[in-house]
Amino acid sequence: MAGTGPGALAAVRALREAGTDVVALVTGRPEAPLLPPRLRVPVLTSAAVAEVTGADGLSGVLVTGPGAAERRLDCDTLVLTGEGVPECELARLAGAALDPATRGPAVDTALRTALAGVFAAGDVLRGGGDAPGAAAEGRHAARAALRHLAGGGRPAGLLRLEAVAPLEWITPGLLPVPGEPPPRGRFTLSVSRRVERPVLLAEQDGRPLGRWPVPHTARPDRPLHLYGEPFAAADPLGGPVRVRIGRTPSPAGRSRG
C-alpha cells in the first residue's frame, strides 16, 4: 500500500477486513498514521515506492527511504492512493475564486463563494472529507441558499483566514461581511505533522484574537475543529486573520520519567 491520508487508511481497512495480508503501508509523511489495533500493519515512513519488479506479474517493490536507503518487499499487488482533491471543476469554470491552500472554492461561514448565489460544500471544498461532515455542510449550504432566494442573501465575506505551517489549511477561509454573525457551525483545519498538547492561536495585524486548547494530539490524519464564533473579535477592515498551532507547556514540576 503506497499513499497517505484518509484514502490510504480506508484502503488498509478494506483489505484487512477482506482477509488480505498487507505487507506494508509506505507513506511519504514522517509519522505513521493512526490505525486501530485490529488494523495495524507495518508502516514505512518518509518513504516512497521507487520501482516495481516482476516478469509475468508483480512480484515485489523497491522502497526508498531517508538517506536514499533501499528496501525490497515481496508482494503480488500494489495499491496506490493519494491526497484527495476538491471536485470543483464546475465552480472553477464558472470563475469562483479558489483557496490556494485547499484548492477548492474560497467560501465564508455561510459557504458562499465569491459568485453571487453559488454555494459550495463537502468534497467541492476539499478532498477526502467524511460523509457525515459533507452532509452537514450540505444542509448548512441549503439553508443559506434558501435565504439567498428569499432575498436575504449577501455577498461572500472578504476577510481571509490564513493557516500558518504546520497547519495546512482552514475552511471556511473567509469571514462574513460586517454586521453578520457567523452561523452555527465549525471551522476545519488540517495539520502536516504531529503536535502534542496542541493549542490553536489566532491573531490579526499582530493583535491576539483567541487561544483554544485542543483536547487531543494533532495528527495529519485527524482534522481539527473550531466551533461557534472563534473570530468574532476580528476587525472586518483589518488584515488577514492568521491561525497557527502551538504547544501547551507541560505542567511545572511534572517529572518526565
Side-chain angles (χ1 to χ4, degrees):
M1 176 74 61
T4 187
L9 301 185
V12 168
R13 183 178 299 108
L15 289 170
R16 287 299 304 274
E17 290 177 349
T20 303
D21 181 20
V22 180
V23 177
L25 170 60
V26 180
T27 175
R29 292 191 182 273
E31 299 172 349
L34 183 63
L35 288 168
R38 64 188 179 86
L39 297 179
R40 291 282 168 80
V41 299
V43 180
L44 304 180
T45 57
S46 300
V49 174
E51 180 182 312
V52 296
T53 60
D56 298 324
L58 181 68
S59 62
V61 297
L62 182 67
V63 176
T64 60
E70 295 184 349
R71 179 175 178 180
R72 191 171 298 277
L73 302 176
D74 295 329
C75 60
D76 57 19
T77 303
L78 172 62
V79 178
L80 301 175
T81 66
E83 296 282 1
V85 296
E87 299 284 348
C88 63
E89 187 67 7
L90 288 177
R92 185 186 67 80
L93 290 175
L98 301 184
D99 185 320
T102 63
R103 294 175 289 174
V107 295
D108 67 4
T109 51
L111 300 182
R112 294 171 290 210
T113 71
L115 298 175
V118 177
F119 301 78
D123 278 0
V124 174
L125 295 180
R126 61 200 174 276
D130 61 284
E137 286 183 348
R139 291 190 292 270
H140 183 44
R143 289 190 291 268
L146 289 173
R147 289 195 298 271
H148 175 82
L149 292 173
R154 303 188 184 191
L158 298 178
L159 186 58
R160 297 196 322 275
L161 296 173
E162 295 182 350
V164 180
L167 289 176
E168 296 179 309
W169 47 258
I170 178 170
T171 185
L174 298 173
L175 291 179
V177 294
E180 180 179 357
R184 293 180 61 187
R186 66 180 184 180
F187 293 85
T188 302
L189 305 95
S190 174
V191 66
S192 63
R193 62 174 172 81
R194 180 188 179 102
V195 179
E196 300 282 354
R197 303 186 306 278
V199 58
L200 292 169
L201 305 156
E203 63 177 29
Q204 182 187 36
D205 300 327
R207 177 173 62 93
L209 297 180
R211 130 184 239 285
W212 306 275
V214 178
H216 56 78
T217 298
R219 304 178 62 103
D221 54 341
R222 187 175 189 179
L224 304 176
H225 299 292
L226 282 175
Y227 295 90
E229 303 179 21
F231 310 112
D235 180 358
L237 301 180
V241 173
R242 295 169 61 84
V243 184
R244 60 187 178 89
I245 189 168
R247 294 182 61 186
T248 302
S250 299
R254 178 174 291 182
S255 65
R256 300 179 61 87

